Amino acid sequence: MTDAKSVHHVTYDLLRKLGLTTVFGNPGSTEQTFLQDFPDDFTYVLGLQEASVLAMADGFAQVTGKPALVNLHTAAGTGNAMGSLIAAYRANTPLIVTAGQQTREMSVVDPYLNNPDATVLPQPWVKWAYEPARAEDVPAAFMRAYAVAMQPPAGPVFLSIPLDDWDKPALGPAVVRTVSRRVQPDAERLREFADRISRAERPLLLLGPEVDRAGAWDAGIAFAEKLRASVRGSALSDRCSFPEDHPLYGGPLPLTIAGVNEALQGFDVVIAIGAQVFRYYPYVAGEWVPEGTAVLQITADPHLAAIAPVGDSLIGDVGIALEQLLELVEVPADRTAPRGLTRDFSGELPVAAAPLLPNDVYAVLSSVKPDDAAVVMESTSTLADLIQWWPTRRTASFFATGSGGIGWGVPAAVGVALGDRARGVKRTVVASIGDGSFQYSIQAIWTAAQHKLPIVFVVQRNGEYCVLKSFALLEETPNVPGLNLPDLDIASLATGFGCRTANVGSTEELAREFKAALAADGPTVLVVPTQPHLPFLG
């Protein structure tokens, strides 16, 4: 055994072969044995807080389409990252999340920084959680973690590694395996679905975030155009799966049971592909679907199939399903295509002084943004204005949180930009962030500055938690405290983290500063005072 390579050496060799050479982390004492002698061909992306670290890795993995490796500190550090872990789990992002653990010899006395029952802490927000029974099992545990994270539905996994495992001798080279990332839909059931769709008189197509994640953007367009059906998106979707300026696009579905029921009136079949049936938020009672409306769901996620309150479900890769439905479905020749959302960009751009309307902000940005820019969205109260003025037109160019918690958007934008750089893509990332959301993960802009990433953070400063005020009205809960955010000097904070910053006082200044941000060597934070704008939650 004297010539045996260490667990550290064998594990890094495995990670290299799997292409996991970017590590997102914030080093703690129990992780330094893993990070010692860090290889030159690996990249360590430092974040200043674990929630930001994990969200950066989430954005990176979504853009690259490959698992990302996250290294967290033991118990307390993992706890810091839990909010971002929930978002990654909900978005089916493949992550291998590791955390250090105290030495095996001391674990029985529960020493400082120990994580008792380490595998329990991240659950249920991981697909698999494991602490190897012995040091020699660490490389094999990483291989299994990779396989579990990759297989559909993809998602994060968690490994707890005692700090004294890394220097132990390994059993030998790690076994490298490959796994499938796609599951073929049941052919007979898919033909049954196709027959029912062919007999539909007025179908509605719902394309959810799985479609974009599966790389099936073009297949979704082709199927919608053959079907000549109205297309809707999931409410508060974390990805966009259909061009929002397409003539068939009718916008996202409402957020309530009653609202969805009303939106589905007159349709005899709803074809939900890669989408939950349905994504609800506030409770407004009603029937799930109108009488006479059938629901057909195709998803790669057995959980989404199991929780659907109505309809029939089919498990399988949505890209494969769309390609096969395109051949199987027959459409009446005389079916008239419906009209979707209408937009008029012919008018003059608004000229106004701050505080601006969110509509004015997006109108101006739409006139100066690059066509290929990616959007990271965490300004929930202004989402309708974004869709109106800045419709998503390309695959993998819209990103939002999968969980509903705030604080994901700023670090995720950093991860998206780093992912673009890793795959050799040059584009601007525009992060539209509410002033309340910006405070949750503001330290992530330091990483953006250190890496000189092409990100423009547009912070709409309305001085309140606007969407929560909408809920207060909906739920008839007056005098809720803590909904106002006075006296935040966001520009000074951003400057302190090393970012180019500007306070914007008018629409003309917004256009000028945004153009300057596009030419800057690194990130810019634009603080735009805006008028409160209560969104419709029905």
Side-chain angles (χ1 to χ4, degrees):
M1 293 292 291
T2 56
D3 294 330
K5 293 181 178 179
S6 67
V7 167
H8 183 275
H9 184 280
V10 170
T11 301
Y12 269 89
D13 190 49
L14 171 66
L15 295 174
R16 187 177 288 110
K17 291 175 180 176
L18 294 175
L20 300 176
T21 58
T22 300
V23 181
F24 292 83
N26 181 271
S29 56
T30 56
E31 290 69 50
Q32 292 190 22
T33 49
F34 166 61
L35 298 171
Q36 64 182 320
D37 299 322
F38 197 70
D40 292 339
D41 59 332
F42 278 61
T43 300
Y44 187 85
V45 179
L46 174 61
L48 302 184
Q49 206 263 8
E50 289 92 341
S52 290
V53 165
L54 201 143
M56 289 178 200
D58 187 347
F60 183 87
Q62 289 199 46
V63 165
T64 61
K66 300 176 182 178
L69 185 61
V70 185
N71 185 230
L72 303 175
H73 197 26
T74 185
T78 303
N80 284 338
M82 284 300 297
S84 296
L85 183 62
I86 294 170
Y89 182 84
R90 291 292 194 187
N92 297 128
T93 304
L95 299 177
I96 299 176
V97 182
T98 66
Q101 174 65 296
Q102 266 289 8
T103 56
R104 292 179 183 272
E105 288 80 1
M106 287 200 302
S107 63
V108 69
V109 299
D110 195 18
Y112 191 68
L113 289 178
N114 193 47
N115 190 358
D117 299 322
T119 60
V120 176
L121 177 59
Q123 295 189 48
W125 305 111
V126 290
K127 292 180 66 180
W128 181 58
Y130 185 65
E131 184 173 290
R134 54 183 186 157
E136 294 88 342
D137 297 328
V138 169
F142 270 90
M143 185 63 249
R144 180 176 172 184
Y146 179 86
V148 174
M150 290 272 283
Q151 292 177 106
V157 297
F158 178 82
L159 293 176
S160 172
I161 314 293
L163 66 87
D164 54 328
D165 281 6
W166 296 104
D167 290 331
K168 300 288 176 60
L171 296 175
V175 176
V176 181
R177 303 174 54 244
T178 60
V179 295
S180 174
R181 300 190 68 174
R182 306 178 80 188
V183 174
Q184 178 79 23
D186 178 84
E188 182 177 350
R189 190 164 177 81
L190 189 63
R191 283 194 296 270
E192 175 193 331
F193 275 31
D195 290 341
R196 293 175 66 179
I197 295 169
S198 296
R199 295 195 303 268
E201 295 182 1
R202 193 175 179 222
L204 173 70
L205 182 59
L206 168 62
L207 296 178
E210 283 181 53
V211 174
D212 194 47
R213 289 200 294 264
W217 174 277
D218 291 336
I221 297 172
F223 182 60
E225 291 177 346
K226 178 175 183 177
L227 202 59
R228 295 196 292 281
S230 179
V231 180
R232 303 296 293 265
S234 295
L236 293 180
S237 186
D238 47 290
R239 298 283 284 265
C240 181
S241 293
F242 194 77
E244 292 176 329
D245 60 346
H246 193 284
L248 293 175
Y249 185 66
L253 284 178
L255 286 164
T256 65
I257 298 171
V260 169
N261 183 288
E262 182 178 355
L264 301 185
Q265 293 288 335
F267 296 101
D268 55 350
V269 175
V270 178
I271 310 145
I273 301 181
Q276 184 175 347
V277 178
F278 297 97
R279 180 171 283 183
Y280 303 116
Y281 193 5
Y283 178 69
V284 178
E287 297 297 326
W288 299 114
V289 295
E291 184 177 355
T293 300
V295 177
L296 302 177
Q297 180 194 34
I298 302 174
T299 175
D301 191 340
H303 173 71
L304 293 187
I307 63 172
V310 292
D312 301 316
S313 298
L314 170 61
I315 302 295
D317 183 88
V318 297
I320 296 174
L322 281 166
E323 292 167 359
Q324 295 184 0
L325 285 175
L326 190 61
E327 301 297 325
L328 293 170
V329 170
E330 298 179 0
V331 180
D334 59 350
R335 176 178 292 166
T336 301
R339 292 184 60 83
L341 299 175
T342 58
R343 293 180 173 87
D344 182 8
F345 299 128
S346 61
E348 294 184 359
L349 290 176
V351 177
L356 305 178
L357 289 170
N359 187 72
D360 295 339
V361 174
Y362 290 119
V364 171
L365 295 182
S366 71
S367 70
V368 293
K369 67 175 180 63
D371 289 338
D372 63 347
V375 172
V376 177
M377 179 63 173
E378 197 170 283
S379 175
T380 307
S381 63
T382 68
L383 179 59
D385 299 290
L386 175 76
I387 294 173
Q388 173 66 27
W389 284 100
W390 195 329
T392 300
R393 297 184 173 97
R394 290 176 171 81
T395 184
S397 60
F398 174 89
F399 304 89
T401 178
S403 71
I406 62 177
W408 177 89
V410 173
V414 176
V416 169
L418 286 168
D420 282 346
R421 182 172 290 176
R423 64 194 181 107
V425 171
K426 292 185 178 181
R427 64 174 176 176
T428 300
V429 177
V430 180
S432 179
I433 311 292
D435 52 357
S437 292
F438 197 72
Q439 307 312 309
Y440 273 63
S441 312
I442 190 171
Q443 69 280 342
I445 65 176
W446 176 86
T447 304
Q450 292 297 305
H451 290 265
K452 295 185 177 181
L453 297 176
I455 306 174
V456 185
F457 297 96
V458 180
V459 184
Q460 299 196 43
R461 178 80 175 100
N462 59 21
E464 62 182 28
Y465 291 119
C466 198
V467 72
L468 295 182
K469 289 192 174 182
S470 293
F471 271 98
L473 293 175
L474 179 69
E475 297 168 352
E476 299 180 355
T477 52
N479 302 318
V480 174
L483 301 186
N484 294 318
L485 298 171
D487 305 324
L488 281 175
D489 189 348
I490 293 174
S492 293
L493 293 170
T495 299
F497 280 110
C499 290
R500 177 184 177 274
T501 62
N503 284 302
V504 173
S506 66
T507 50
E508 292 179 343
E509 192 174 352
L510 174 60
R512 183 171 65 252
E513 290 292 348
F514 189 87
K515 290 177 182 178
L518 295 178
D521 184 21
T524 295
V525 176
L526 300 181
V527 184
V528 187
T530 56
Q531 300 178 33
H533 176 69
L534 297 182
F536 174 68
L537 299 176

